[in-house]
Amino acid sequence: MRDEEAPRPTRYPSDFAATATDRRALLALSTLSGLTARKLLELAAVEGSASACLAAVRKGRAGSRGDRTHVGGIDPDGVAASVSACGARVIAWGDPEYPISLMDLADPPALLYARGRDLGSLVWRVAVVGSRRCSALGRDVAVDIGRSLASAGACVVSGAARGIDTGAHRGALDAAGTTVAVLGSGIDVLYPAGSRGLLQEIEAAGAIVTEYPPGIPAEPFRFPARNRIVAGIARALVVVEGAAGSGSMISVDHALDLGREVFAVPGPVTSPLSEVPLALIRDGAVMIRGADDLLADLGLDVAPATLAGPSELPPDELRVFEGLRSPCLPDAVARAASVSIPEAVAALIRLELRGLVRNVGGRYERRLSPRGGTADAANA
């Protein structure tokens, strides 16, 4: 029986994948469903190299019965060919491109499959996670945070899921910035299918990474493992919406275990989507009201020129913006713009997220004029 008090290994041996033979063995090991990252890490502490670990599986000393049956039919060269065929590459433990921050995990992946830019060039990574079934406002917040982080030179990390993940990636892309998508499927399986176009954009502007080889389908049990990489690859994590039991809590738990700073965007106390952010704030996460707070807390700056200009606004937001001639309450804005108060409030919140207006003591005021000047200049 394993001594539960004995410390678990947290790093692979330095020469775990040092040779071409070891790298071929590692490709075969990555296809085994019964040999999790934690189990492989423990096996490596005993066997030393990837080749020795594969031999242990073949001899029945490690892995599941299914693994031992499966490994006999694995051709590492075939796996390598599949990787090349989809335009991917292998990043093994110890490679210069392997993110050092992942080494903080209790069960770091022994290798990553990647497409797109070199991970070493995608620095200052910040993760943004949240609900798949998010609100329209929550998605706007995620887009604004992603856009602002990218405009400030940070790389946005998320899981490419619908909802908040997609919003954060989209915001970074809209700002012509960089972003990394971590998949819970094989490197050639762009999931969800509806995000295929988005993932192709992410590959061109940043990178797609996974610990799963080509052909591995997206299955529910793979996403918790994916979430640890989302948290591990970033230096901070932001939560935008999440109901009780949300998978985003898995990312949060990993981030806290790793000592990463966790930020949360509050929402209405009556909304189920606010449960996770509000609970995190109550337990000590840093509350942020939006992108401005996040950038300030991270010590990042974004040039005003990168913010969306009034000329680019949808008609309803432009009408409210033009009605905001001086600092005033939402009801006054509604009268000036000839819209209902709820419509004015919704538009004002979106304008605030875009960085065009700000709320001071309940009154809204412009931050930019239609010609790109300051609010003071517009009202002078």
Side-chain angles (χ1 to χ4, degrees):
M1 182 178 293
R2 177 184 174 86
D3 181 5
E4 295 298 336
E5 299 302 320
R8 293 179 180 271
T10 58
R11 302 241 174 153
Y12 291 91
S14 59
D15 57 351
F16 178 70
T19 69
T21 301
D22 287 328
R23 294 178 74 90
R24 292 179 73 256
L26 191 51
L27 290 176
L29 290 168
S30 74
T31 69
L32 304 181
S33 59
L35 197 62
T36 63
R38 187 181 295 277
K39 290 178 180 178
L40 179 57
L41 186 65
E42 294 175 353
L43 182 61
V46 175
E47 301 293 341
S49 68
S51 299
C53 288
L54 183 60
V57 174
R58 285 176 170 156
K59 293 176 181 178
R61 299 200 310 271
S64 66
R65 180 179 299 175
D67 289 339
R68 294 190 285 276
T69 301
H70 176 78
V71 78
I74 287 295
D75 174 17
D77 292 333
V79 178
S82 297
V83 172
S84 297
C86 67
R89 62 188 181 278
V90 174
I91 307 170
W93 179 274
D95 286 354
E97 191 181 350
Y98 190 97
I100 294 176
S101 59
L102 285 181
M103 296 182 179
D104 295 336
L105 289 169
D107 53 349
L111 86 168
L112 294 171
Y113 294 93
R115 294 165 61 173
R117 293 177 53 176
D118 188 305
L119 297 183
S121 70
L122 305 175
V123 296
W124 242 108
R125 295 182 291 261
V126 178
V128 182
V129 301
S131 176
R132 286 178 171 82
R133 295 184 176 89
C134 65
S135 67
L137 179 58
R139 189 181 188 283
D140 284 346
V141 171
V143 170
D144 185 62
I145 287 174
R147 182 190 298 119
S148 297
L149 283 169
S151 298
C155 177
V156 176
V157 178
S158 200
R162 289 183 291 271
I164 298 302
D165 288 16
T166 295
H169 288 306
R170 173 51 59 195
L173 293 170
D174 288 349
T178 60
T179 182
V180 172
V182 184
L183 303 182
S185 59
I187 191 61
D188 61 338
V189 180
L190 301 185
Y191 180 87
S195 296
R196 180 177 297 272
L198 174 67
L199 284 163
Q200 290 170 342
E201 290 184 64
I202 291 171
E203 179 182 354
I208 300 171
V209 301
T210 181
E211 63 185 318
Y212 301 112
I216 298 298
E219 297 179 271
F221 70 88
R222 301 190 197 281
F223 295 112
R226 181 273 307 271
N227 290 351
R228 86 189 194 287
I229 296 178
V230 170
I233 207 171
R235 63 172 61 196
L237 183 138
V238 183
V239 180
V240 183
E241 294 192 336
S246 169
S248 58
M249 277 304 301
I250 298 173
S251 298
V252 170
D253 289 341
H254 283 297
L256 293 173
D257 287 343
L258 296 170
R260 308 290 195 257
E261 192 161 16
V262 175
F263 300 88
V265 180
V269 296
T270 55
S271 170
L273 290 172
S274 300
E275 292 188 25
V276 168
L278 292 178
L280 290 174
I281 292 167
R282 181 179 175 84
D283 290 341
V286 179
M287 185 196 79
I288 56 171
R289 295 165 295 180
D292 286 351
D293 285 352
L294 178 62
L295 295 183
D297 289 343
L298 291 175
L300 298 174
D301 294 313
V302 57
T306 63
L307 298 172
S311 62
E312 305 169 14
L313 295 174
D316 59 331
E317 293 179 29
L318 181 60
R319 188 182 306 115
V320 169
F321 183 86
E322 291 178 341
L324 189 62
R325 297 295 179 182
S326 62
C328 55
L329 296 170
D331 58 342
V333 178
R335 288 194 298 271
S338 299
V339 298
S340 68
I341 293 177
E343 288 173 327
V345 170
L348 286 167
I349 291 174
R350 290 195 293 271
L351 288 167
E352 186 175 14
L353 291 173
R354 293 181 188 277
L356 295 176
V357 306
R358 59 184 175 186
N359 185 337
V360 181
R363 296 177 182 272
Y364 285 88
E365 61 183 34
R366 290 187 183 186
R367 296 182 62 183
L368 298 173
S369 75
R371 293 183 300 276
T374 63
D376 291 340
N379 296 321

